[in-house]
Amino acid sequence: MRILMINGSPHKGNTWRAMCAAREEILKEDPYVIFEEIHLSSLKLPFCTGCSLCFRKGRDYCPHSSIMKEVFDKMEAADGLIFGASTFYMAPNALAKNLIDHWSFFTHRPHFFKNKALVVSTTAGVFANKTVDFIAGALQSIGYNKCFKLPITAYSWNVYDPDEKARQKIKKVSLKFYKDVASGKLHEPGIGLMIPYNLFRGMGLNYVKGSEYETEDGVYWTDPKRVKATYDPSIKVSFYKKPFGMLFYLVGKWSARFITITYRK
Ligand SMILES: Cc1cc2nc3c(=O)[nH]c(=O)nc-3n(C[C@H](O)[C@H](O)[C@H](O)COP(=O)(O)O)c2cc1C
């Protein structure tokens, strides 16, 4: 099993310590797990410029695609991802948010359907839960099949040393994550995930090849394997959820009659 650790914090601080504690617990359970690290502070990823080329023409057109390709390839190849971010002002720190900005086009065209993640954040006092909720949502919106959350109140600047209670929490959540990844089980999506998927599926038809504002969304949503499915065909969806998917697909398709996202040609 391969696990990628992305440290979104600007340093190897409290969040990194919590991530390392999670790694220790997993290695106690299975010493053969291979870990790889990306530290965003060393990645030198410039800020997203807002050019929107990733949305319109595809990820290879991003001005930072050489850096992002490596990150995406590693995210895809890993069986599991441990993503850590510091809680700064009640939200993910800027470096972590910048990475999320660079993958946000995948929300229109989800991709990582077989991947699972453990999201970690530390805070001095409050709001780590908000940070992990935001990041887990961002990962699920790009396809992540399951996200486990580990928000930690560290009561510390830079010298966090998890106490026994925190270690127990870290152990419990990390092992749940590890076991889920090891099981190879793919979970079916909740309605909350099927709604945006099917809205984009319907709205995407506004941007097919040859339309006034064609984009990569149009290519993705007209892929024959996707046209009739209420979620990615590799993931099972119970029969009773399919009508909800269909309903939101029709809402997306209907709303596309009134709303078109334009761009300068
Ligand atoms: C710029 C900045 C903003 C912060 N904002 C919050 C906050 O909103 N709530 C809080 O409880 N702690 C806040 N803190 C404290 C950090 O969340 C806490 O020290 C955290 O463990 C830092 O993680 P790190 O060492 O991985 O960067 C902030 C710290 C900094 C430097």
Side-chain angles (χ1 to χ4, degrees):
M1 182 192 295
R2 303 185 84 88
I3 295 184
L4 175 65
M5 299 171 84
I6 298 184
N7 175 24
S9 165
H11 58 170
K12 287 187 176 172
N14 289 348
T15 308
W16 178 244
R17 282 194 197 94
M19 292 168 75
C20 291
R23 173 167 62 187
E24 264 172 43
E25 294 301 339
I26 292 170
L27 282 173
K28 275 187 219 159
E29 185 75 13
D30 179 353
Y32 296 104
V33 178
I34 297 165
F35 286 86
E36 190 176 358
E37 299 173 13
I38 295 178
H39 295 271
L40 294 191
S41 53
S42 319
L43 201 61
K44 304 281 177 262
L45 176 65
F47 279 121
C48 168
T49 63
C51 67
S52 72
L53 285 168
C54 54
F55 285 94
R56 294 185 280 123
K57 297 180 79 168
R59 58 169 136 157
D60 294 345
Y61 292 82
C62 170
H64 316 136
S65 67
S66 56
I67 301 174
M68 286 311 300
K69 184 178 179 337
E70 207 177 309
V71 177
F72 289 147
D73 286 351
K74 286 183 177 175
M75 283 169 72
E76 187 156 13
D79 301 295
L81 167 70
I82 301 181
F83 190 106
S86 323
T87 294
F88 284 178
Y89 200 67
M90 302 174 277
N93 63 292
L95 268 181
K97 177 60 167 58
N98 185 38
L99 181 70
I100 293 170
D101 293 345
H102 279 83
W103 82 43
S104 60
F105 68 93
F106 273 132
T107 303
H108 285 215
R109 315 187 285 271
H111 182 76
F112 298 92
F113 295 102
K114 297 201 165 61
N115 299 84
K116 296 177 181 180
L118 169 63
V119 182
V120 183
S121 183
T122 64
T123 175
V126 286
F127 297 129
N129 56 334
K130 280 195 170 197
T131 301
V132 295
D133 282 350
F134 180 86
I135 296 170
L139 285 165
Q140 289 199 288
S141 77
I142 65 173
Y144 268 72
N145 182 255
K146 181 104 182 156
C147 289
F148 295 83
K149 299 177 196 173
L150 191 46
I152 293 175
T153 305
Y155 301 119
S156 152
W157 303 104
N158 303 330
V159 289
Y160 179 51
D161 180 18
D163 62 15
E164 186 48 33
K165 193 170 162 211
R167 286 207 176 266
Q168 286 307 322
K169 179 176 165 180
I170 292 169
K171 179 176 179 179
K172 189 173 158 199
V173 181
S174 325
L175 291 189
K176 265 193 187 171
F177 161 68
Y178 162 77
K179 284 177 183 162
D180 199 78
V181 174
S183 76
K185 181 182 172 185
L186 290 176
H187 305 269
E188 67 171 283
I191 299 289
L193 268 187
M194 290 181 69
I195 292 173
Y197 182 93
N198 284 284
L199 286 174
F200 280 120
R201 179 175 155 230
M203 293 186 297
L205 300 180
N206 228 7
Y207 308 97
V208 296
K209 282 260 171 261
S211 60
E212 192 180 359
Y213 290 102
E214 64 178 37
T215 69
E216 274 299 291
D217 289 11
V219 176
Y220 178 91
W221 292 109
T222 49
D223 179 340
K225 80 171 192 199
R226 238 166 250 297
V227 170
K228 291 202 170 122
T230 52
Y231 202 65
D232 186 76
S234 64
I235 311 291
K236 183 183 170 296
V237 177
S238 295
F239 71 94
Y240 65 88
K241 287 185 184 167
K242 291 184 180 176
F244 286 101
M246 206 57 201
L247 175 67
F248 283 95
Y249 163 68
L250 292 173
V251 171
K253 205 170 154 185
W254 172 80
S255 67
R257 289 164 58 185
F258 310 103
I259 303 165
T260 298
I261 309 294
T262 63
Y263 52 83
R264 187 179 296 139
K265 295 185 187 174

